């Protein structure tokens, strides 16, 4: 995607700053740039019936409707635009506004502390192009407004009965050696009419319909079988990770059933990691804690997923014998530009090291992310910089190519 093909909107009330911004955009190759002097004028432009705006570059401190109110209205309108915030405000406040913008559902590319430079602006515009390419390839970027299809309970049941759900795998690699150490199994629906459907379109509906437990068993069985095949043929020396639902853990026989299934596929439990989100780990249900303790006794790995997004993370690490800590992608993505996110990332990695559990960083998307994680001592990385989720056969080919290179 060329910059000349994009439609820009500059929202800036300071005439000199606006002139500098327009000059930089022109030097980058932008051909179509609209200008607004406050949030209300900008909102009128982007909500016009024939509006075509791809990227908005907005100041925050403006008369009338300021940048924060403008972000709120954009989120409420659900407009498919990307945002770059530019301001002289202090870094900590800009970080708060960035978080607020994401909470409104607006796709924010990043924040620039004025003065705006060609390098800073060019980098964020390239990120927009990357996200657009991922969306067109079937991998919607965070903040994308692409509508997901909706399914009835009957359609989901039919898909389960017809064995249309399967695991795709995203590799986890050693940050020191670059070697593939594991892969997370992520659910995909091979729909007979719609093709491959990502979990965002069906998991929540399955949870509300009471079907997510059935999906869990499909993922456990297929992931265990594939991992067993890889290891038996010496094609791939990895462990697989499967996400668990708190609903599954309420069954007192769950641990025994999982053990029987995995061993029945001739896979040693030590080669399977069971991932639990923080919210699920926070449960006080005795059956869940009993199941998790029993799974660890059988040799399964236990991972606390999305670490840092809950309210009692450290407490969970004392209640459950976790073997792996997966740091949420938001801290990885923001660490390079938000001091508070970097502090949380570093303290999480230090804690994992002291507790002698494996640290995994999710959402590694740039070389800068990789370099920072390496310097901070993270052990494993997972994200689009390494590879997107792929079918089992593609994983074998990718692993062979990666190691050959």
């Amino acid at each position: 995607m060329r910059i000349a093909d994009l439609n820009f909107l500059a929202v800036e009330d300071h005439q000199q700053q606006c002139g500098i911004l327009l000059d930089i955009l022109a030097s980058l190759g932008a051909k179509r740039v609209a200008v607004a002097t406050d949030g209300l004028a900008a909102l009128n432009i982007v909500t016009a019936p024939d509006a075509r705006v791809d990227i908005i570059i907005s100041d925050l401190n403006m008369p009338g409707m300021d940048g924060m109110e403008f972000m709120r209205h954009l989120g409420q309108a659900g407009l498919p635009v990307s945002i770059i915030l530019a301001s002289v405000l202090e870094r900590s406040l800009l970080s708060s506004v960035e978080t607020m913008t994401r909470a409104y559902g607006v796709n924010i590319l990043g924040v620039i502390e004025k003065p705006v430079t060609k390098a800073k602006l060019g980098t964020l515009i390239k990120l927009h192009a990357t996200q657009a390419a991922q969306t067109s390839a079937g991998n919607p970027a965070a903040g994308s407004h692409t509508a997901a299809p909706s399914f009835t309970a009957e359609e989901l049941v039919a898909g389960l009965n017809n064995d249309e759900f399967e695991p795709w795998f995203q590799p986890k690699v050693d940050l020191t050696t670059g070697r593939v150490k594991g892969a997370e199994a992520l659910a995909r629906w091979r729909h007979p009419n719609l093709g491959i459907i990502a979990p965002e379109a069906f998991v929540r509906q399955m949870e509300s319909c009471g079907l997510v437990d059935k999906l869990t068993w499909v993922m456990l069985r297929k992931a265990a079988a594939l991992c067993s095949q890889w290891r038996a043929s010496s094609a791939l020396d990895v462990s697989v990770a499967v996400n668990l639902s708190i609903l599954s853990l309420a069954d007192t026989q769950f641990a025994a059933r999982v053990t029987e299934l995995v061993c029945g596929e001739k896979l040693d439990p030590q080669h399977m990691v069971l991932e639990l989100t923080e919210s699920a780990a926070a449960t006080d249900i005795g059956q869940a804690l009993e199941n998790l303790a029993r799974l660890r006794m059988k040799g399964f790995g236990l991972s606390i997923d999305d670490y840092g997004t809950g309210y009692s993370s450290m407490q969970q690490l004392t209640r459950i014998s976790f073997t792996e800590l997966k740091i949420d992608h938001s801290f990885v993505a923001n660490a390079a530009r938000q001091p508070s996110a970097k502090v949380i990332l570093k303290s999480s990695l230090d804690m994992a090291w002291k507790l002698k559990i494996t640290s995994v960083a999710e959402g590694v998307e740039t070389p800068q992310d990789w370099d920072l994680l390496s310097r901070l001592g993270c052990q494993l990385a997972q994200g689009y910089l390494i590879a997107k989720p792929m079918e089992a056969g593609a994983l074998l080919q990718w692993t062979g190519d990666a190691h050959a290179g």
Side-chain angles (χ1 to χ4, degrees), residues 67-114:
M68 288 182 285
E69 185 179 353
F70 179 43
M71 294 302 108
R72 167 158 48 86
H73 286 293
L74 285 178
Q76 291 171 344
L79 298 172
V81 297
S82 295
I83 297 294
I84 297 172
L85 296 177
S87 178
V88 295
L89 297 174
E90 61 184 81
R91 183 70 237 187
S92 60
L93 181 53
L94 289 178
S95 297
S96 296
V97 175
E98 182 176 5
T99 302
M100 176 212 75
T101 303
R102 296 186 193 280
Y104 280 135
V106 178
N107 183 37
I108 181 166
L109 299 173
V111 176
I112 296 176
E113 296 179 68
K114 290 182 179 179

Side-chain angles (χ1 to χ4, degrees), residues 109-232:
L109 299 173
V111 176
I112 296 176
E113 296 179 68
K114 290 182 179 179
V116 176
T117 66
K118 183 177 180 179
K120 293 176 182 177
L121 192 58
T123 298
L124 294 180
I125 292 173
K126 287 179 182 177
L127 178 58
H128 170 86
T130 300
Q131 291 181 353
Q134 290 173 350
T135 300
S136 63
N139 300 296
S144 170
H145 293 278
T146 303
S150 178
F151 301 99
T152 65
E154 290 74 16
E155 290 174 311
L156 295 170
V157 169
L160 287 165
N161 291 339
N162 294 331
D163 199 27
E164 293 168 3
F165 292 91
E166 63 188 51
W168 281 34
F169 296 91
Q170 187 171 37
K172 296 188 287 188
V173 302
D174 189 305
L175 274 154
T176 301
T177 66
R179 305 289 292 184
V180 180
K181 305 295 288 185
E184 181 179 2
L186 301 163
R188 294 293 186 271
W189 185 0
R190 193 177 291 276
H191 195 282
N193 301 318
L194 301 176
I196 301 299
I197 299 175
E200 292 80 7
F202 58 82
V203 168
R204 287 188 179 180
Q205 180 69 8
M206 281 188 163
E207 289 175 339
S208 64
C209 295
L211 296 172
V212 73
D213 186 60
K214 292 185 177 180
L215 177 64
T216 298
W217 286 106
V218 169
M219 294 293 291
L220 285 167
R221 175 174 54 82
K222 292 188 175 183
L226 285 165
C227 188
S228 178
Q229 293 171 20
W230 297 335
R231 300 188 67 83

Side-chain angles (χ1 to χ4, degrees), residues 5 25 35 54 61 90 110 118 140 175 195 272 324 341 357 386:
D5 298 327
L25 284 170
V35 176
D54 299 300
N61 193 7
E90 61 184 81
K118 183 177 180 179
L175 274 154
M272 177 169 279
E324 181 181 280
I357 60 178
I386 301 151

Side-chain angles (χ1 to χ4, degrees), residues 30-41:
K31 301 296 184 184
R32 298 190 289 268
V33 184
V35 176
T37 56
D38 66 14
L40 181 58

